[in-house]
Amino acid sequence: MSVTPTPTPPDPLAPATLGPIRLRNRVIKSATFEGVTTDALVTDALIDFHVAVGAGGVGMTTVAYLAVSPEGRTERDQIYWRPEALPGLRRLTEAVHATGAAISAQIGHAGPVANSRSTGLPSLAPSTRPNPLSMSLDRAATEADIRRIIDDHARATRYAIEVGFDAVEVHLGHNYLASSFLSPKINRRKDSWGGPLHRRAEFARRILQAVREAADGQIAVLAKMNMADGVPGGLWLDESLVFAQMVESDGHVDALELTGGSSLLNPMYLFRGDVPIREMAETQSGLVKLGMKMFGRFVFEHYPYAPLYFRDYARQFRNELDMPLVLLGGITDLAGMNTAMSDGFEFVAMARALLREPDLINRIRAESSKTSLCIHCNLCAASIFTGTRCPLVSTDVRSDVTDEKPLGLSV
């Protein structure tokens, strides 16, 4: 009787294939809004941010967050896809490629996470609802809005190819627009875009189809999706697993990056670790600032940090899916990466650890026992609209930010 040998897990620091592209290793810098895009255009600071990570050794860095529509920005200085933005984005991709890393564009529509008072445009949601950021109502997306935004994702993908991105990552998480359509808590529609999961999922599936067709095999297509919203009545694993199976069956995505939490309703579900309420309140203004200082401790849940904190959820997806998966959440050293590979994940994503040490991957390659200096204080979450950074190692900040904005940092 022969015994089939157990496959040896891949080396996370060895080259790997992602769809039509080749990466120098299996480590992806997860999207973290950089907060340095004045006038919604690429700046030298944005280029420096990603060049540092690329030179630091990752396989691919992800630019966050590039809105597909003007009203799809979370705030007015966020880059959105338009001809004026293309020369700067080309300069960005060329600079990152010079480091040997690949570069991905996270694309999507903020939906109810947008601050319409900042953008000057109506914020959209599946259903009409109060928006605490703009102190107004989100407008329910119409059929025309839905069709336009699907087309906007395709247009953004074509632009990404034009300016030299290696991949696009479609944002289906954190209760941005596509994620909010998936959420039974936020999506209260009675038409063909609401109700049972297969109808709530249709918007996201059509977006992915449009992106895949626009990509035309020239670049990789990823999607970042919530396993759980982290709020009562929101998307949970019983439905997110089924949605992931739909995505796999459709065949429009080269890899799924698994995440959780709601920038709208429960951001700390994503972060884990300390909750720096005072520092986060200082990034806001007016009533939002006052409200955060007075009631923040009741609004922001505290979730203790643990290494690989999304692993148990994500392993359920690994057991049900054959497609490549990206594990994120508390991956800070080679041991964590190897655990992910042993579990069957093809890639890992890192964020806060790379804010602390952009050259962490090079350091790990040189010394396999190296561990991140990140202490999970989440002070970086309070910096995301003044130039995202680890405040423990940087003092370079912007001082021209006055609008209320959502927490958009990933992990």
Side-chain angles (χ1 to χ4, degrees):
M1 179 179 176
S2 62
V3 178
T4 303
T6 302
T8 302
D11 178 356
L13 300 183
T17 298
L18 174 58
I21 67 174
R22 188 75 169 165
L23 303 182
R24 64 184 177 188
N25 59 54
R26 295 175 182 267
V27 182
I28 298 172
K29 164 63 175 66
S30 184
T32 50
F33 181 56
E34 303 89 352
V36 290
T37 52
T38 307
D39 297 325
L41 296 169
V42 171
T43 60
D44 288 343
L46 182 68
I47 294 174
D48 292 344
F49 181 100
H50 288 283
V51 165
V53 175
V58 299
M60 183 165 70
T61 187
T62 309
V63 181
Y65 145 86
L66 304 175
V68 300
S69 315
E71 81 285 351
R73 295 171 286 166
T74 60
E75 53 92 24
R76 64 170 175 253
D77 281 334
Q78 198 164 61
I79 295 175
Y80 61 102
W81 290 95
R82 64 201 195 281
E84 295 87 344
L86 301 186
L89 289 167
R90 165 64 74 177
R91 194 159 59 95
L92 170 61
T93 61
E94 289 176 348
V96 170
H97 286 152
T99 71
I103 182 168
S104 175
Q106 186 185 66
I107 64 174
H109 191 291
V113 181
N115 180 354
S116 62
R117 186 163 59 179
S118 177
T119 65
L121 298 167
S123 52
L124 301 179
S127 311
T128 301
R129 64 182 307 279
N131 187 313
L133 294 169
S134 59
M135 302 297 179
S136 62
L137 291 177
D138 293 327
R139 178 170 63 80
T142 65
E143 289 278 349
D145 291 324
I146 290 169
R147 290 193 298 270
R148 170 179 59 83
I149 291 166
I150 292 170
D151 290 342
D152 286 347
H153 279 80
R155 179 175 55 88
T157 303
R158 291 189 291 269
Y159 275 147
I161 295 170
E162 180 181 337
V163 299
F165 280 97
D166 303 285
V168 291
E169 177 185 88
V170 183
H171 200 332
L172 305 181
H174 305 162
N175 286 161
Y176 281 48
L177 188 60
S179 173
S180 66
F181 265 80
L182 285 164
S183 168
K185 183 179 182 70
I186 302 174
N187 185 349
R188 301 299 179 90
R189 298 175 75 104
K190 304 300 183 183
D191 61 6
S192 61
W193 303 99
L197 176 62
H198 72 274
R199 296 210 305 245
R200 285 183 278 118
E202 187 65 18
F203 182 43
R205 295 174 76 181
R206 291 198 191 183
I207 287 172
L208 294 178
Q209 179 181 1
V211 169
R212 170 60 79 188
E213 291 173 355
D216 194 28
Q218 297 181 67
I219 59 175
V221 177
L222 300 90
K224 188 169 193 173
M225 62 159 283
N226 269 13
M227 297 180 288
D229 290 346
V231 296
L235 189 71
W236 185 241
L237 274 75
D238 58 339
E239 288 194 323
S240 62
L241 271 166
V242 176
F243 172 65
Q245 290 170 328
M246 293 177 184
V247 172
E248 179 173 71
S249 177
D250 292 340
H252 300 317
V253 173
D254 295 308
L256 276 178
E257 183 173 329
L258 301 171
T259 187
S262 170
S263 296
L264 186 66
L265 301 172
N266 189 4
M268 299 313 299
Y269 191 83
L270 167 64
F271 297 146
R272 311 298 166 96
D274 296 343
V275 186
I277 293 173
R278 180 178 60 83
E279 291 83 357
M280 290 190 294
E282 288 300 324
T283 69
Q284 308 297 314
S285 65
L287 292 176
V288 174
K289 180 176 182 177
L290 179 63
M292 285 185 66
K293 287 185 174 181
M294 293 180 63
F295 305 109
R297 66 184 183 277
F298 303 111
V299 174
F300 291 93
E301 297 280 348
H302 175 257
Y303 298 94
Y305 175 83
L308 303 174
Y309 54 81
F310 276 146
R311 181 190 180 200
D312 288 345
Y313 286 0
R315 288 174 72 182
Q316 297 183 57
F317 287 76
R318 182 68 290 165
N319 291 338
E320 298 294 333
L321 303 171
D322 294 323
M323 68 184 303
L325 300 177
V326 184
L327 180 67
L328 61 69
I331 297 168
T332 61
D333 56 19
L334 185 59
M337 297 179 203
N338 284 330
T339 296
M341 298 297 110
S342 296
D343 284 343
F345 297 98
E346 285 78 8
F347 300 91
V348 295
M350 306 173 70
R352 284 174 292 181
L354 294 173
L355 293 178
R356 184 69 172 87
E357 299 169 277
D359 62 347
L360 179 60
I361 304 307
N362 285 344
R363 291 173 180 263
I364 289 174
R365 190 180 292 278
E367 181 184 349
S368 61
S369 61
K370 162 68 181 173
T371 60
S372 170
L373 297 176
C374 178
I375 61 173
H376 321 294
C377 63
N378 288 321
L379 288 172
C380 53
S383 78
I384 63 173
F385 289 100
T386 55
T388 302
R389 66 203 181 282
C390 174
L392 303 182
V393 296
S394 172
T395 58
D396 182 21
V397 302
R398 284 173 52 197
S399 60
D400 60 343
V401 179
T402 58
D403 290 320
E404 296 83 6
K405 300 166 179 98
L407 294 174
L409 191 70
S410 295
V411 291

